[in-house]
Amino acid sequence: MRLGATAVRALTKAVGEEHVRFTPGELAPYRRDATPLFTGHPDAVVFPADTGEVAAVLGVATEHGIPVVPRGAGSNLCAATVPSHGGIVLVLTRLNRILELSRDELLARVQPGVAVARLAETAAHAGLLYPPDPGSRGVATVGGTIATCAGGLRGLKYGVTRNYVLGLEAVLPTGETIRTGGRLWKDVAGYDLTRLLTGSEGTLAVITEATVALLPMPSHSRTGVAYFGSLAEAGQAVSAILAAGVVPATLEFLDRKCVAAVEAHARLGLRTDAGALLLFGDDGPIEVVAGNMVRIRTLCTEAGAWETTLAEDVAAADALLAARRCSLPALSRLGALTILEDATVPRPRLADMVARIDEIADRHGLHIATFGHAGDGNLHPTCVLDPGEHGAADRAHKAFAEIFAAALELGGTITGEHGVGAAKLPFLADRVGDAQLALLRRVKQAFDPAGILNPGKLGS
Amino acid sequence: MSDIFDKDLLQRCISCGFCLPACPTYALTGDEASSPRGRITLMRALEPGELAADDPALVEQSSFCLGCRACEPVCPAGVRYGALLEQWRDHQWRGRRRPWPARLLMGIVARAWLLGLQGLARRHARTRPAPAGPSLLLGCVERGLYPGVSRAAVRLRPELAAPSRQGCCGALHAHNGDSAAGARLARTLGGRLPGTIVTTAGGCAAHLAEHLGRDRVREFGEYLAEQGHRPAGEVRVAGRRARVALQDSCHGRNALGVHRQPRQLIAAVADYVELPGAADCCGAAGTYALLRPHDSRRVLAPKLAAIEQADVDFVVAVNPGCLRQLRRGLRGSRVRAVHLAELLALAGGNGPYPPGRR
């Protein structure tokens, strides 16, 4: 769609001439986000300064029937911020202040454009922990991670973003500004709209402020690594650890292909003959952490671990965690097109799921390596391709469709933490069923009767 | 399909966005277009002709980028952004489209005899050529603006030969849209200075390493560390050990991975203070301070605030452009900007005092 002259004037008036973009070159960088193979064509990009300007932009959009796609840093992996239907990309990076950090109340009030890492560092300065820890924490914004309910490496023990959102300020597409929840840990007045907006992927309202819960910073942490002959044995170790009542902060795995790629890239001295690598770690009071480390190592050994090692100091722990952190970089060097996917199965089915992924990859002649969060059954099968190879992307799409079907068959889901966006929408009905899908659409209708907020995504 | 860019380099980016928080111009605007990922999207639109080189956004973004390459060390996919930027500017800034101050400077520094003339007025280090090296790069700008730097360097390491007729390394050309001339000048200089080339300019070091091979080039602090140089003496101010901070050279750090060595050398002669953002670009960025003075000052502003806040006596630069930028920014301040070589010479008791003057 193209914007009319009246709409252009109204948008310019809403945020000021300096903060609107209309030319093809200025719009081009907003065609896509971090999701491979998805692009759209925005007609305008606007950078509001505050809640009032967000409301003004939505007012213009409603009046002229223009789609609006809210965007933070555009680091999501489900094409949630791709302007599939054109329209306005509403960039919230100018709302970038931490408004309040309260040690007494263990909370922070932040604007949506603040990077998650900046919030976490500011909290750490005050001796507090903001636990949500997605891999993109350096770039991803608080608003974006709330809109996608981002997960991360600490999900098992600490939960995910939704567990830390106490309240939101949001502008509805109809122009009203609402405040849900607030500074209260207990508040059951009304439907839990805070939770509904968390993970709504910019389809219901535009988040303009968030109140988030913080925790006291744990005093100690330790990290270790265990090698197994097979992922099945690593999976048994994970089950045994949880059954023993230990809920560690870190429980990450790399499959054989991943270990090989990481070792070839970073030369960390990993054992490439192993079938799986399990990273474990915990934080808390020193004696609790020490006790948990002993129990985890014992349980790993009982499950058949070839060897377990504990990092002696912070630097050594960082070196171990580097193996997990550089999985994506290492894999992405194997081909120019890297598709990082996301599926979750019940914990005991982790090894079955990786076996299914391997079988599907082999059948389609694809290189798919898998790493992920063993503690919460969340896998990241990552496909590496040469984009020049004819039909490679199509084969990858077919393979992933089979992978999501397999996850559902094992009692899992099509996405654990990346979101639905435009990328997973075709699979959503398989996960939630027709009745729930119809309800989602009615919810969307209630918030956004004109259907202007992020069309082509959730609720469409 | 045109071939403005090396196809493999352009394909490398996986668009994850991890470069955004490292980018100084993205920090100023919050606009994807002024981030490395956004600029690569623009390059990808330019390559097949979807956007023309005279599109205002391409003109603006190819020039707004500092070329600091802070996006490279944080890139999971190993994108060689610096190389892409050179290719972009080769196309974008060809011929008359190149800003005139850059054209003028490039014309001057490409002539070794013209550079040599500076020596008539400025007393930089000079010795006979050494057939086997190691040699000190005098630099096209540094020998004229800060001749004391090469003198200090040679005092600290007398084995360094500093022949006057050596020419320019060509980094200026490579960064301003003429990478072919940049490569040619680098090779010519490599012929004139045999053996290891030691340079007090991080930008030159990175450019020479690209064309002559990493083995032939040493950044000055890196060279000292490798030679096991033990800095003599101590820098004192008002009867106490001086407090000294460092401003990294972007290319020294991001392209060559040199950052530990200058810190250790400073710590040997003074109390080292790590500035928040020491690794971030100061806004000098070669010709950038000349071509975009307003943006250059915007990038510098938070750094000046951090320097004043840190209550240091000196801030050390390891690149002449940064030195100039910091000296201009710190006019009227009690803090002095000096080159690493000058600081170490001062500690040894045979440097100029007060340092930071020409």
Side-chain angles (χ1 to χ4, degrees):
Chain A
M1 72 170 291
R2 300 287 304 275
L3 300 187
T6 335
V8 167
R9 265 200 306 278
L11 284 175
T12 309
K13 187 159 170 279
V15 294
E17 202 172 340
E18 242 185 277
H19 305 294
V20 286
R21 311 272 188 273
F22 299 109
T23 71
E26 292 170 328
L27 301 178
Y30 293 91
R31 287 178 192 169
R32 58 166 302 168
D33 51 31
T35 321
L37 307 171
F38 284 86
T39 53
H41 284 278
D43 298 295
V45 180
V46 300
F47 301 82
D50 53 35
T51 307
E53 291 190 0
V54 170
V57 171
L58 288 177
V60 176
T62 300
E63 193 187 328
H64 296 268
I66 310 165
V68 175
V69 182
R71 175 177 170 123
S75 57
N76 76 88
L77 289 165
C78 63
T81 53
V82 170
S84 325
H85 293 219
I88 301 165
V89 176
L90 182 72
V91 183
L92 295 147
T93 48
R94 287 179 72 208
L95 282 81
N96 61 358
R97 283 179 303 141
I98 296 176
L99 302 169
E100 183 190 353
L101 189 91
S102 168
R103 292 169 85 154
D104 303 350
E105 290 185 80
L106 290 174
L107 59 80
R109 238 165 17 94
V110 289
Q111 292 192 312
V114 172
V116 173
R118 202 180 122 212
L119 169 61
E121 280 155 24
T122 308
H125 251 5
L128 299 171
L129 175 71
Y130 178 64
D133 184 33
S136 56
R137 60 200 293 278
V139 48
T141 61
V142 171
T145 51
I146 290 174
T148 52
C149 188
L153 302 190
R154 292 198 268 244
L156 175 63
K157 180 170 174 177
Y158 289 103
V160 295
T161 300
R162 76 163 70 85
N163 303 103
Y164 297 89
V165 185
L166 293 171
L168 293 171
E169 179 193 82
V171 182
L172 300 175
T174 40
E176 306 97 319
T177 299
I178 58 167
R179 295 194 77 101
T180 72
R183 317 170 72 93
L184 309 169
W185 260 253
K186 286 184 171 178
D187 181 2
V188 292
Y191 293 135
D192 192 345
L193 296 182
T194 307
R195 278 222 167 183
L196 180 57
L197 292 180
T198 304
S200 64
E201 299 179 4
T203 62
L204 301 181
V206 179
I207 296 166
T208 49
E209 190 190 304
T211 305
V212 297
L214 305 170
L215 296 176
M217 184 67 81
S219 58
H220 286 85
S221 65
R222 291 299 297 268
T223 304
V225 64
Y227 291 98
F228 294 87
S230 69
L231 243 165
E233 287 169 334
Q236 282 159 17
V238 170
S239 297
I241 290 165
L242 295 169
V246 182
V247 182
T250 307
L251 212 47
E252 299 287 313
F253 78 96
L254 278 69
D255 75 355
R256 188 192 299 274
K257 289 184 221 169
C258 240
V259 175
V262 167
E263 186 54 26
H265 166 56
R267 307 242 167 257
L268 297 167
L270 305 179
R271 289 188 63 166
T272 52
D273 54 341
L277 180 158
L278 189 69
L279 268 167
F280 53 85
D282 200 14
D283 54 15
I286 191 163
E287 60 280 8
V288 175
V289 174
N292 281 349
M293 289 298 108
V294 172
R295 289 162 78 188
I296 292 172
R297 290 180 78 176
T298 312
L299 291 162
C300 282
T301 307
E302 283 171 12
W306 291 356
E307 64 171 272
T308 67
T309 319
L310 217 50
E312 286 309 316
D313 51 31
V314 176
D318 280 347
L320 284 184
L321 288 168
R324 166 66 176 85
R325 271 198 296 266
C326 74
S327 295
L328 177 60
L331 290 169
S332 76
R333 275 167 171 77
L334 302 178
L337 180 62
T338 308
I339 306 176
L340 169 62
E341 263 304 346
D342 172 44
T344 302
V345 291
R347 272 176 221 125
R349 311 306 296 271
L350 191 76
D352 297 343
M353 186 64 205
V354 175
R356 295 283 286 270
I357 292 170
D358 284 345
E359 184 269 315
I360 292 166
D362 288 346
R363 192 149 38 74
H364 290 272
L366 293 165
H367 187 86
I368 302 182
T370 305
F371 60 93
H373 318 293
D376 32 48
N378 187 191
L379 306 101
H380 294 307
T382 303
C383 183
V384 192
L385 296 169
D386 173 2
E389 193 192 322
H390 182 73
D394 283 344
R395 272 190 292 135
H397 278 310
K398 281 201 191 100
F400 277 120
E402 288 179 29
I403 287 172
F404 303 141
L408 291 175
E409 229 179 273
L410 295 173
T413 183
I414 56 172
T415 173
E417 57 183 5
H418 289 178
V420 174
K424 294 282 175 72
L425 198 59
F427 307 101
L428 186 60
D430 295 340
R431 167 63 182 141
V432 300
D434 292 339
Q436 204 184 137
L437 195 62
L439 177 61
L440 288 187
R441 288 177 177 147
R442 291 201 298 278
V443 170
K444 161 80 176 166
Q445 182 76 25
F447 275 81
D448 180 20
I452 58 160
L453 258 188
N454 215 352
K457 316 287 169 59
L458 269 182
S460 298
Chain B
M1 188 61 94
S2 67
D3 28 42
I4 301 163
F5 298 99
D6 178 322
K7 196 159 155 268
D8 285 342
L9 290 189
L10 196 57
Q11 270 187 355
R12 234 13 324 214
C13 173
I14 57 172
S15 295
C16 63
F18 281 25
C19 50
L20 269 58
C23 178
T25 56
Y26 181 72
L28 288 180
T29 64
D31 182 355
E32 175 81 26
S34 49
S35 76
R37 177 177 66 175
R39 290 187 176 114
I40 287 176
T41 307
L42 289 175
M43 295 178 206
R44 285 174 171 175
L46 173 65
E47 176 74 16
E50 254 175 70
L51 289 175
D54 60 359
D55 183 287
L58 286 167
V59 172
E60 168 63 10
Q61 291 307 335
S62 60
S63 140
F64 187 29
C65 176
L66 291 147
C68 70
R69 297 167 67 177
C71 43
E72 289 188 29
V74 299
C75 175
V79 171
R80 292 175 53 211
Y81 181 85
L84 285 171
L85 180 66
E86 285 185 11
Q87 292 167 11
W88 193 12
R89 285 195 181 157
D90 277 353
H91 182 77
Q92 200 79 41
W93 285 9
R94 62 191 186 278
R96 298 215 147 266
R97 295 184 193 197
R98 183 172 304 135
W100 69 264
R103 276 207 305 252
L104 181 70
L105 263 178
M106 287 158 66
I108 294 171
V109 304
R111 293 168 174 80
W113 63 271
L114 254 180
L115 289 184
L117 285 183
Q118 294 181 90
L120 297 177
R122 311 294 290 166
R123 204 165 52 81
H124 57 75
R126 83 190 66 189
T127 71
R128 296 178 160 283
S135 305
L136 180 70
L137 181 72
L138 291 170
C140 51
V141 172
E142 194 174 57
R143 66 162 83 186
L145 277 184
Y146 306 118
V149 173
S150 56
R151 290 204 307 274
V154 170
R155 248 195 319 270
L156 290 163
R157 300 304 299 186
E159 75 274 19
L160 291 175
S164 179
R165 193 181 153 77
Q166 44 178 254
C168 166
C169 72
L172 186 75
H173 297 72
H175 301 158
N176 287 283
D178 191 355
S179 62
R184 203 166 52 239
L185 285 164
R187 285 192 299 268
T188 307
L189 187 132
R192 285 180 180 143
L193 299 181
T196 301
I197 300 172
V198 178
T199 154
T200 45
C204 306
H207 178 71
L208 286 173
E210 182 77 31
H211 295 284
L212 303 179
R214 182 70 177 92
D215 290 349
R216 281 211 47 203
V217 182
R218 290 292 176 270
E219 187 278 330
F220 184 65
E222 178 187 29
Y223 176 73
L224 293 186
E226 232 173 58
Q227 298 298 313
H229 182 87
R230 294 215 178 144
E234 185 182 43
V235 181
R236 297 184 70 80
V237 171
R240 57 169 173 80
R241 198 171 158 90
R243 287 169 56 78
V244 182
L246 174 74
Q247 164 61 40
D248 274 303
S249 147
C250 290
H251 286 196
R253 183 182 180 109
N254 302 324
L256 301 179
V258 174
H259 52 89
R260 193 174 28 82
Q261 300 92 327
R263 285 171 171 75
Q264 287 169 351
L265 290 161
I266 294 170
V269 297
D271 284 341
Y272 177 69
V273 180
E274 176 78 16
L275 289 176
D280 304 344
C281 183
C282 66
T287 52
Y288 196 90
L290 217 62
L291 301 179
R292 301 187 64 117
H294 175 68
D295 291 319
S296 170
R297 283 194 298 272
R298 281 166 81 202
V299 174
L300 176 65
K303 195 166 288 292
L304 293 179
I307 290 171
E308 296 297 346
Q309 178 110 38
D311 190 29
V312 291
D313 304 300
F314 295 95
V315 53
V316 165
V318 283
N319 187 61
C322 316
L323 186 56
R324 177 173 175 275
Q325 177 85 341
L326 291 170
R327 283 198 185 167
R328 288 168 69 96
L330 290 169
R331 267 184 205 152
S333 163
R334 152 188 114 68
V335 185
R336 291 197 169 280
V338 293
H339 192 280
L340 177 65
E342 295 177 296
L343 184 88
L344 297 177
L346 173 69
N350 50 6
Y353 198 87
R357 298 267 162 82
R358 288 177 185 178

